[in-house]
Amino acid sequence: MTGTAPAERRAELAKNLAVVRERIARACLHAGRAADEVTLVVVTKTFPDSDVRLLYELGVRDVGENRDQEAAPKAAACADLPGLTWHFIGQLQTNKAKSVAGYAHVVHSVDRLRLVTALDRAAQQAGRVLTCLVQVNLDPVAPEETGRGGAAPADVPRVAEAIAAAEALRLGGVMAVAPLGVDPAAAFARLADVANALRQDHPDATMVSAGMSGDLEAAIGAGATHVRIGTAVLGSRPTLRYRPNR
Ligand SMILES: *Cc1c(COP(=O)(O)O)cnc(C)c1O
């Protein structure tokens, strides 16, 4: 961040990463799972590409972003880092599919048929294959009212089927954000049910993206394979959003 010397920032990120990795290891131990069953996706939204580079030096290979306007230039600025996987985790408008398909490897927020069509067309044009997760809305309130995206659990099979049938998309599994005011463990247990049902028809769709800084233990306890961690690694998000070439 502005005003922080790179060495200082590196030390801060290293310390935070160690804490988060330890939390993941403990949660796995507690759940009787192997630590390598869980992938840490560091959510770098609002932070500069210099932080992505420092994280890369510290061994991070999976980063997450939620806005295309910010992610596209950041991914371009980091294109020289081999083996870095970009996860798109935010609500995605159909007209942004073309851009996202140019740099993202995994899209966690696929929640409707029109988006499947748009992503498939864009991935084909880019000559790329995208792994897609069906975002599940676990809110007891209707998705349209919460505005946070996600398919209703009953609609998940239809969206999954469309992804599986698409030429340039691969069905990875499911993703969810624990709704506000609900016990995260209960929400993630519901997600686990949806994930298990999906695997009956799509045995390779094994990814379960769940858990953020505040609830990663509950998510790992319920079978998460990917946790999306922002604040606990990078600190509080700045109010000014990242801008390329600032
Ligand atoms: C920002 C964000 C995260 C990370 O949240 P933290 O609480 O900062 O760890 C995870 N998932 C999604 C979808 C996000 O938008």
Side-chain angles (χ1 to χ4, degrees):
M1 279 161 64
T2 330
T4 309
E8 223 174 284
R9 181 61 170 157
R10 190 181 198 279
E12 183 183 359
L13 293 177
K15 183 176 112 240
N16 292 347
L17 261 182
V19 171
V20 167
R21 285 176 174 147
E22 177 62 24
R23 281 177 65 189
I24 293 171
R26 273 177 195 278
C28 285
L29 193 67
H30 189 74
R33 304 178 60 196
D36 64 4
E37 285 178 41
V38 177
T39 300
L40 167 61
V41 178
V42 179
V43 179
T44 49
K45 66 186 183 199
T46 75
F47 290 96
D49 48 69
S50 55
D51 278 350
V52 177
R53 284 181 186 280
L54 290 173
L55 289 165
Y56 187 88
E57 284 174 29
L58 296 166
V60 171
R61 290 296 178 271
D62 292 88
V63 291
E65 287 284 334
N66 73 334
R67 286 168 75 243
D68 175 61
Q69 301 92 303
E70 178 180 343
K74 214 183 283 185
C78 297
D80 59 310
L81 302 176
L84 185 59
T85 295
W86 290 88
H87 297 255
F88 191 87
I89 63 173
Q91 278 184 60
L92 181 51
Q93 290 169 278
T94 309
N95 63 4
K96 296 291 194 315
K98 190 172 171 5
S99 174
V100 169
Y103 59 86
H105 302 89
V106 186
V107 180
H108 291 228
S109 45
V110 182
D111 58 1
R112 58 199 191 278
L113 296 177
R114 280 188 54 197
L115 183 55
V116 174
T117 309
L119 283 170
D120 186 34
R121 188 180 307 136
Q124 285 188 46
Q125 279 169 3
R128 304 182 73 231
V129 172
L130 298 182
T131 295
C132 293
L133 309 185
V134 182
Q135 184 177 350
V136 186
N137 189 309
L138 299 171
D139 212 298
V141 182
E144 315 81 57
E145 292 172 46
T146 63
R148 299 185 76 183
D155 293 333
V156 170
R158 223 162 6 130
V159 179
E161 213 52 64
I163 294 168
E167 198 175 309
L169 307 181
R170 177 186 157 266
L171 178 63
V174 294
M175 175 273 216
V177 177
L180 294 170
V182 172
D183 172 21
F188 294 140
R190 262 191 96 198
L191 180 65
D193 289 342
V194 174
N196 288 335
L198 187 68
R199 270 200 302 276
Q200 303 285 310
D201 294 327
H202 306 278
D204 296 334
T206 54
M207 294 170 71
V208 179
S209 167
M212 319 204 312
S213 293
D215 57 18
L216 74 86
E217 285 83 3
I220 289 173
T225 63
H226 291 68
V227 291
R228 309 176 308 268
I229 310 300
T231 326
V233 173
L234 290 139
S236 308
R237 281 182 277 278
T239 41
L240 275 177
R241 313 230 24 151
Y242 165 86
R243 282 193 195 77
N245 310 317
R246 187 161 52 189

